[in-house]
Amino acid sequence: MQVAILMIHVAIAVALVVLILLQQGKGAEAGAAFGGGASQTVFGSRGSGTFLYRATAFLAVCFFATSLTLAWFASQAGQATPDIGIPDAEVIEQQQNNGAPTLDEASEGMDNTAPVLEESGN
């Protein structure tokens, strides 16, 4: 379910970028006065302003909804503690009490001194 919503989220994001890039800037109306007629537009005489605005608003609402849904999934996944292989404290104490040597016990019978280099008499 989470993967499907993530794929929809990415598709909506790409569609939003394309729709925003298709829209004309505020200065584009001045260029239309010098030869761009309303009859040449694809979306009718009113232009593409209302269609692109509504499509962008719809996709923005869908983007926020999928964002909130993905955030909810992430918060639910963070609450569940997965079993990552760390044993409980009781298990660790039992292993220590079974007679397994610790670092302190192993070092008593061994010589752990570092070797010293002999200095030459030059």
Side-chain angles (χ1 to χ4, degrees), residues 3 5 7 10 14 19 24 40-41 43 59 62 65 69 107 115-116:
V3 174
I5 292 176
M7 292 172 65
V10 170
V14 170
L19 267 178
Q24 296 178 350
Q40 296 175 353
T41 61
F43 300 107
L59 285 177
C62 292
T69 306
S107 65
V116 180

Side-chain angles (χ1 to χ4, degrees), residues 72-100:
W72 182 76
F73 278 131
S75 70
Q76 295 299 318
Q79 290 176 358
T81 56
D83 183 23
I84 56 174
I86 299 174
D88 293 330
E90 296 173 0
V91 174
I92 294 173
E93 288 177 11
Q94 287 176 357
Q95 288 177 351
Q96 287 179 351
N97 294 335
N98 286 340

Side-chain angles (χ1 to χ4, degrees), residues 99-120:
T102 62
L103 292 175
D104 295 332
E105 294 172 0
S107 65
E108 290 176 5
M110 302 176 92
D111 183 22
N112 288 334
T113 58
V116 180
L117 295 175
E118 294 180 12
E119 295 184 28
S120 61

